[in-house]
Amino acid sequence: MSKIYQHSTLAALMAKQMQGTTTIGELLEHGDTGIGTLEGVDGELIILDGEVYHADEFGNINHITDMETKTPFATVHFASDAANELALAPTDFAGLSDLQDQYAFKNNFASLRLHGDFKYVYVRAAPKSEAPYPSLLQVAQKQPTFTAENISGTIVGYFSPKLYQGTVAAGWHLHFLSDDHQFGGHLLETQTDDLSGTLESFSDFQIHLPIDDEDFRDHTPVLENLKQKIQSAEGGH
Amino acid sequence: MSKIYQHSTLAALMAKQMQGTTTIGELLEHGDTGIGTLEGVDGELIILDGEVYHADEFGNINHITDMETKTPFATVHFASDAANELALAPTDFAGLSDLQDQYAFKNNFASLRLHGDFKYVYVRAAPKSEAPYPSLLQVAQKQPTFTAENISGTIVGYFSPKLYQGTVAAGWHLHFLSDDHQFGGHLLETQTDDLSGTLESFSDFQIHLPIDDEDFRDHTPVLENLKQKIQSAEGGH
């Protein structure tokens, strides 16, 4: 059994459930690799080898070492020796997405981790909101973007099948962190040189819901047109 | 952490993935209580205290003791002392459904197990299909139903929030087994006397996908109008 562990759902973020409902320490008990955000949908997390990096809306990368730091939403897994080894010729975001067809996993969850040199990396970082929280759709309309050229770094993230749209943003959801820990965020576009890394398929998807949080427990999810709203909030990828 | 474990998805059944992709033995490693069906969507499983009963399309109840028996879809959990104890005045299916409002778990998964006397129990049992399999929608159009009066037995099943429609049939999904193991199936309607039992909320929902099964891995889920199709196949409950 190989498992992806997710704290909360994208639909809950869409419905303003941005309060921190677990800690980074608890999250790391379920994986050493992954992505997420902090309380208030504050920036983009990149989790590599058990270390947590935070790309904030100001273009800074913060190394999160306080295990009590809170998050409303994150996805992790334990990196495994069972992952497929990959070597990729220069490509762009669409070329990364093609890995779905190449490895034919339309009904599988998968993780991707790639390292190498990049000609161009275009990322965004969600701006932190304060309570009372807006919806994710409102946050998405004012997200700062950042560009880097000729940089080495790591892409990490997940592929989720369409059936799970709502609990996740279906398709690819990838974050980037530079080797020097000075640049990162949610990957929007890229031009890569040769990259190498791993692609892993998962048999299990575990969703952990913060049902002890009163706001989460009682919130009303907005399921009408959720797919369209997620695409507006999370982008075409 | 309290967890529901599900093998495969309702959308996969809708897309004809009815081949047995795990065994009863493997399933019982993840729970001692639950519901499901056998290969070919053959009848209705009722799992109580680690024992597996099978209500077939002919109105028989079979005690499944061969741990190699295969299933395409099932949901289980380990019964816990943390469950809420319930005592219910005489009611009907709508009254059981009202437990959702009473216990306010619109964003929680929950399990229900109730025992007592019943004035009336109306169930159905899915007829077994052979490969090449039809869709669940086709199966649903020819399901035998059975009625019992003045019978004692157990209701067991789950509540799933609307967000998870597709991976499950959202709402209540309840099965019935009589104390004498002579009558059972998927509960469609009932008139109960006093019942007592447990209602448990879960923080975690783990979906296990049979990605080593080639047909499952490569099938094309039909996501258009899935909600309407599930309601047609699974009924209003």
Side-chain angles (χ1 to χ4, degrees):
Chain A
M1 190 197 73
S2 53
K3 187 166 77 178
I4 292 181
Y5 177 92
Q6 180 173 293
H7 178 76
S8 194
T9 68
L10 193 63
L13 288 189
M14 300 293 288
K16 311 182 181 183
Q17 298 304 302
M18 298 183 180
Q19 67 278 18
T21 44
T22 193
T23 63
I24 293 297
E26 287 177 344
L27 187 69
L28 291 177
E29 291 177 15
H30 300 280
D32 57 14
T33 306
I35 58 180
T37 188
L38 294 182
E39 181 163 60
V41 184
D42 172 10
E44 315 287 335
L45 295 182
I46 301 101
I47 305 172
L48 297 171
D49 306 320
E51 296 295 322
V52 180
Y53 300 92
H54 173 233
D56 70 23
E57 65 193 286
F58 309 108
N60 301 315
I61 307 293
N62 312 298
H63 186 187
I64 306 291
T65 54
D66 178 356
M67 291 297 117
E68 296 302 310
T69 304
K70 286 189 169 176
T71 169
F73 182 66
T75 312
V76 294
H77 71 283
F78 284 106
S80 156
D81 293 340
N84 293 295
E85 305 255 332
L86 283 189
L88 276 190
T91 189
D92 57 10
F93 198 105
L96 297 176
S97 298
D98 285 347
L99 289 169
Q100 185 203 347
D101 295 327
Q102 197 177 330
Y103 286 83
F105 45 85
K106 62 185 173 181
N107 296 303
N108 300 23
F109 286 84
S111 70
L112 183 65
R113 179 176 173 165
L114 292 169
H115 180 261
D117 295 327
F118 296 75
K119 289 191 181 65
Y120 171 74
V121 181
Y122 178 53
V123 298
R124 69 158 194 248
K128 180 179 184 178
S129 296
E130 303 290 343
Y133 293 114
S135 83
L136 193 62
L137 201 55
Q138 291 169 280
V139 171
Q141 285 157 3
K142 49 167 187 172
Q143 293 192 86
T145 58
F146 304 95
T147 300
E149 295 183 355
N150 301 318
I151 192 168
S152 57
T154 300
I155 287 172
V156 64
Y158 297 97
F159 174 83
S160 306
K162 281 185 186 161
L163 175 60
Y164 305 89
Q165 185 77 274
T167 58
V168 299
W172 289 99
H173 188 158
L174 302 172
H175 288 189
F176 177 87
L177 179 69
S178 67
D179 284 352
D180 64 7
H181 299 169
Q182 299 294 311
F183 179 88
H186 174 110
L187 189 66
L188 294 172
E189 191 46 271
T190 185
Q191 291 287 337
T192 81
D193 284 330
D194 293 332
L195 299 181
S196 62
T198 53
L199 178 71
E200 186 171 3
S201 280
F202 297 89
S203 61
D204 287 64
F205 177 49
Q206 180 170 346
I207 305 168
H208 175 77
L209 301 174
I211 62 173
D212 292 333
D213 182 276
E214 193 174 339
D215 284 341
F216 179 90
R217 201 170 56 237
D218 295 342
H219 85 275
T220 300
V222 183
L223 301 180
E224 287 294 315
N225 301 317
L226 184 61
K227 180 180 171 186
Q228 290 75 12
K229 286 175 183 167
I230 287 173
Q231 284 174 342
S232 298
E234 287 290 313
H237 304 318
Chain B
M1 191 197 71
S2 53
K3 185 164 79 177
I4 291 180
Y5 177 91
Q6 180 174 295
H7 177 77
S8 193
T9 69
L10 193 63
L13 289 189
M14 301 293 288
K16 311 183 182 183
Q17 299 303 301
M18 298 183 180
Q19 67 279 16
T21 44
T22 193
T23 63
I24 293 297
E26 287 177 343
L27 187 69
L28 290 177
E29 292 177 14
H30 301 280
D32 58 13
T33 305
I35 59 178
T37 188
L38 294 182
E39 181 165 57
V41 184
D42 172 11
E44 314 288 334
L45 295 182
I46 302 100
I47 306 171
L48 298 171
D49 306 320
E51 297 295 321
V52 181
Y53 299 92
H54 171 233
D56 70 23
E57 64 192 287
F58 308 108
N60 301 315
I61 306 295
N62 313 297
H63 187 189
I64 306 291
T65 55
D66 178 357
M67 291 297 116
E68 295 304 310
T69 304
K70 287 189 168 176
T71 169
F73 182 67
T75 312
V76 295
H77 71 283
F78 285 106
S80 155
D81 293 340
N84 294 295
E85 305 255 333
L86 282 190
L88 275 191
T91 189
D92 56 11
F93 198 105
L96 296 176
S97 298
D98 285 347
L99 289 169
Q100 185 202 349
D101 294 329
Q102 197 177 332
Y103 285 84
F105 45 85
K106 62 185 173 181
N107 296 302
N108 299 24
F109 287 84
S111 69
L112 184 65
R113 179 175 174 167
L114 292 169
H115 179 262
D117 296 326
F118 296 75
K119 288 191 182 65
Y120 170 74
V121 182
Y122 178 52
V123 298
R124 69 157 194 249
K128 181 179 183 178
S129 296
E130 304 290 343
Y133 294 115
S135 83
L136 193 62
L137 202 53
Q138 292 170 278
V139 171
Q141 285 157 3
K142 49 167 188 172
Q143 294 192 85
T145 58
F146 304 94
T147 300
E149 296 184 355
N150 301 318
I151 192 168
S152 58
T154 301
I155 286 172
V156 63
Y158 297 97
F159 174 83
S160 306
K162 282 185 187 161
L163 175 60
Y164 305 89
Q165 183 78 273
T167 58
V168 299
W172 289 99
H173 188 159
L174 301 173
H175 288 190
F176 177 88
L177 180 68
S178 66
D179 284 353
D180 63 7
H181 300 171
Q182 298 294 311
F183 179 88
H186 174 111
L187 189 67
L188 293 172
E189 191 46 89
T190 186
Q191 291 288 336
T192 81
D193 284 330
D194 292 335
L195 299 180
S196 62
T198 52
L199 177 72
E200 185 171 5
S201 280
F202 297 88
S203 62
D204 287 63
F205 177 49
Q206 180 170 346
I207 304 168
H208 175 76
L209 300 174
I211 62 173
D212 292 334
D213 181 276
E214 194 174 336
D215 284 342
F216 179 91
R217 201 170 55 237
D218 295 343
H219 85 275
T220 300
V222 182
L223 302 179
E224 286 294 316
N225 301 319
L226 185 62
K227 180 179 172 187
Q228 289 75 12
K229 286 175 182 166
I230 288 173
Q231 285 174 340
S232 299
E234 288 290 312
H237 302 318

